Amino acid sequence: SLKSQQGLLVDFSAFPQKFIDLLQQCIEEQNKDIPRFLLQLVSSAPALDHTPVSLNVVETNPFKHLTHLSLKFLPGTDAEIKKFLANCLKCLKEDKLMLEEKLRRTEEDLTRQLSYTQQSLSEKSRELDKLKNEWTSCTTALTNKHSQELTREKERALQAQTQYQQQHEQQKKELENLHQKSIQQLQNRLSELEVINKDLTERRYKGDSTVRELKAKLSGIEDECQRAKQEVLSLRRENATLDAECHEKEKLINQLQTRVAVLEQEIKDKDQLVTRTKEVLDATQEQKVILEESTEEKQRHIEKLETTIKSLSAELLKANEIIKKLQGDLKTLMSKLKLKNTVTIQQEKLLAEKEERLQKEQKELQEMGQSLGMKEQEVCKLQEQLESTIQKLEESKQLLKTNENVITWLNRQLSEVQMAKKLDTCASTQSGGRAAASPHGMPDRPSFPSSGISHPISPLYAFQNFLEPTHSKNGSSQCPVHFNTQFSKLNRCSDAQTVTATSHPANKENGDHLGLESKYLKRKDDSIPLRGLSQNTLNS
């Protein structure tokens, strides 16, 4: 219900941990002047009576106060409050009894320990004068060694930090410059592609407008075209072929648009790679900061050890004064030599433990040196990753160049198709001007029994003959038409067009590829011819 009411994105299992995290953030920002997270206990009544109360977790922004959660608290009944207070009293009484028992036990233990320590101090004070000289010599030697090693390690760490910082700054600057250059190049390329797309859409709209005009003309001439239904059917067939060509061109345009979208996605992926490399660099810097903090903590620990050594030296001085006073009582203490032997054994154990501690500290210092070496290796790996990303960027640039070449090739093909259409229109006009009208005002349809052709040569030829003025109605009843010469000229024109249409891909297959791959230059046998006539008529 909370998830549906307040628009939460957290599951039921993860809700308690998220609520605890919000409370911890409120506790952390409690002592700040302007805390970011706040807890508000809101009640409808002026006093906290038996009314429901809502606890809100609010985030403060310079623009608005955002409530992440609002939980309702219902008031408890008298019986529940009494039970809660009774349980609290029981817990307090049990704690009190436990504390009293602990105090009694600690008092007894302390009395025993005092008696034992007094005896041990009297015995150890005599032994401290012997160990004093040894301790002083060992402590001075160790302090000198540690101080020299610390100074050396500090200098090395500072040099390494300066070197790493300089290297990282240089790498950041180089990466930023490369990224900005690549973004500018891609933006320029996108602007160019948008201009090309606009030109293609304009051409498409122009083609649609021409088709509409032709349809309007056909609707105005339907009354006159009833006598020439067969010619209209041929025109419709050719219109269907033109529509198919338009659909193919639209498919090509859609393919180019999808390619542009793919390229944009690749650019976004490369930006994400650059951000990931930056995040890895930030992580390495955080690890360096953690190492510096650990070194500072170890220095503090060493300082504490030095203070403890100074306190021990002061106690040894006091013990020497006591020993001078007790030199007269040496005869009475000969009987206690056995006890001293046991104490010396214990002290030897203590010395061995301290030596082990020193060895552990030395091992920790060595481990720190090894960790620094591992960090250097990680930095090297990051540099290799950056080099690989740069190589990938170069490969993407090469892909963009190939795509540009593909687009230029497609544009050239479109221009060639348009030129071929223009040549078709010219040939049809030339053939239409040489034919004469029939006695009924209808253009005669030339037939070629030798080649098996019974349909018009070109739809545009028939359409233009139909639009000619009907001045031939007043003339002779029959006008001869020179179909043989006309057909020979049409064959010559069609042969020239097929040669021009097929010469370019042949040259491209011989090696003039214009930077394109071989898969874009393969010649298909089932391709549609550019003119209205079929391939069989051209061969005949």
Side-chain angles (χ1 to χ4, degrees), residues 476-498:
S476 63
S477 63
Q478 290 182 356
C479 293
V481 180
H482 299 284
F483 289 111
N484 292 321
T485 57
Q486 184 182 359
F487 185 68
S488 64
K489 288 179 181 178
L490 285 169
N491 282 326
R492 288 174 187 173
C493 187
S494 64
D495 292 332
Q497 287 176 4
T498 53

Side-chain angles (χ1 to χ4, degrees), residues 105-118:
R105 290 175 183 174
T106 50
E107 285 177 356
E108 289 176 356
D109 292 330
L110 289 169
T111 52
R112 290 174 185 174
Q113 287 178 1
L114 283 170
S115 61
Y116 181 73
T117 50
Q118 286 176 359

Side-chain angles (χ1 to χ4, degrees), residues 153-202:
E153 288 181 354
K154 284 179 181 178
E155 290 176 354
R156 290 175 183 174
L158 289 170
Q159 290 177 358
Q161 285 178 358
T162 53
Q163 289 177 359
Y164 288 134
Q165 287 177 358
Q166 290 176 359
Q167 289 177 359
H168 286 301
E169 288 176 357
Q170 289 178 358
Q171 289 176 359
K172 282 181 181 178
K173 289 178 181 178
E174 290 176 356
L175 287 170
E176 287 175 355
N177 292 321
L178 290 170
H179 186 62
Q180 289 177 358
K181 289 179 181 178
S182 64
I183 288 165
Q184 289 177 358
Q185 290 176 358
L186 292 170
Q187 286 178 355
N188 293 323
R189 183 61 189 161
L190 285 171
S191 63
E192 291 176 357
L193 289 170
E194 286 176 355
V195 171
I196 291 163
N197 285 322
K198 287 179 180 178
D199 294 331
L200 291 171
T201 52
E202 288 177 356

Side-chain angles (χ1 to χ4, degrees), residues 9-251:
L9 300 173
V10 183
D11 294 330
F12 184 75
S13 61
F15 177 75
Q17 186 62 39
K18 295 289 182 182
F19 182 63
I20 290 163
D21 294 332
L22 289 171
L23 293 175
Q24 287 179 356
Q25 288 179 357
C26 294
I27 291 163
E28 288 176 357
E29 295 187 356
Q30 185 177 2
N31 296 319
K32 291 182 180 179
D33 295 330
I34 300 169
R36 187 179 175 185
F37 289 94
L38 294 171
L39 282 173
Q40 291 181 355
L41 191 70
V42 181
S43 64
S44 61
L48 293 171
D49 295 333
H50 295 285
T51 57
V53 178
S54 64
L55 186 119
N56 298 325
V57 180
V58 181
E59 182 181 358
T60 59
N61 286 324
F63 181 70
K64 189 179 178 182
H65 292 285
L66 298 171
T67 58
H68 289 286
L69 267 179
S70 64
L71 300 173
K72 288 185 180 179
F73 287 93
L74 297 173
T77 59
D78 294 331
E80 289 177 352
I81 292 163
K82 286 177 182 179
K83 286 180 182 179
F84 178 72
L85 293 171
N87 289 320
C88 292
L89 286 171
K90 285 180 181 179
C91 293
L92 290 170
K93 286 179 181 179
E94 289 176 356
D95 292 331
K96 186 179 178 182
L97 293 170
M98 292 291 288
L99 290 169
E100 286 177 354
E101 289 178 356
K102 285 181 181 179
L103 285 169
R104 289 175 186 174
R105 290 175 183 174
T106 50
E107 285 177 356
E108 289 176 356
D109 292 330
L110 289 169
T111 52
R112 290 174 185 174
Q113 287 178 1
L114 283 170
S115 61
Y116 181 73
T117 50
Q118 286 176 359
Q119 291 177 1
S120 63
L121 282 170
S122 63
E123 292 173 356
K124 289 178 181 179
S125 61
R126 296 171 184 175
E127 295 173 356
L128 286 171
D129 57 355
K130 293 180 182 179
L131 298 170
K132 182 180 178 180
N133 295 320
E134 294 178 358
W135 276 105
T136 52
S137 62
C138 291
T139 52
T140 52
L142 289 170
T143 51
N144 290 321
K145 287 180 181 179
H146 284 298
S147 62
Q148 290 176 359
E149 289 177 354
L150 285 169
T151 52
R152 290 174 184 173
E153 288 181 354
K154 284 179 181 178
E155 290 176 354
R156 290 175 183 174
L158 289 170
Q159 290 177 358
Q161 285 178 358
T162 53
Q163 289 177 359
Y164 288 134
Q165 287 177 358
Q166 290 176 359
Q167 289 177 359
H168 286 301
E169 288 176 357
Q170 289 178 358
Q171 289 176 359
K172 282 181 181 178
K173 289 178 181 178
E174 290 176 356
L175 287 170
E176 287 175 355
N177 292 321
L178 290 170
H179 186 62
Q180 289 177 358
K181 289 179 181 178
S182 64
I183 288 165
Q184 289 177 358
Q185 290 176 358
L186 292 170
Q187 286 178 355
N188 293 323
R189 183 61 189 161
L190 285 171
S191 63
E192 291 176 357
L193 289 170
E194 286 176 355
V195 171
I196 291 163
N197 285 322
K198 287 179 180 178
D199 294 331
L200 291 171
T201 52
E202 288 177 356
R203 290 177 183 176
R204 181 185 171 187
Y205 288 127
K206 287 179 181 178
D208 293 331
S209 65
T210 54
V211 171
R212 288 174 184 173
E213 289 175 357
L214 290 169
K215 286 180 180 178
K217 288 178 181 179
L218 288 169
S219 65
I221 303 167
E222 281 180 355
D223 295 331
E224 295 177 357
C225 286
Q226 289 177 359
R227 297 174 184 177
K229 288 180 180 180
Q230 293 178 356
E231 292 177 355
V232 171
L233 290 170
S234 65
L235 287 169
R236 285 178 181 175
R237 288 174 184 174
E238 287 185 353
N239 282 322
T241 57
L242 290 170
D243 289 328
E245 289 178 357
C246 289
H247 285 299
E248 287 178 356
K249 288 177 183 178
E250 287 176 356
K251 288 179 182 178

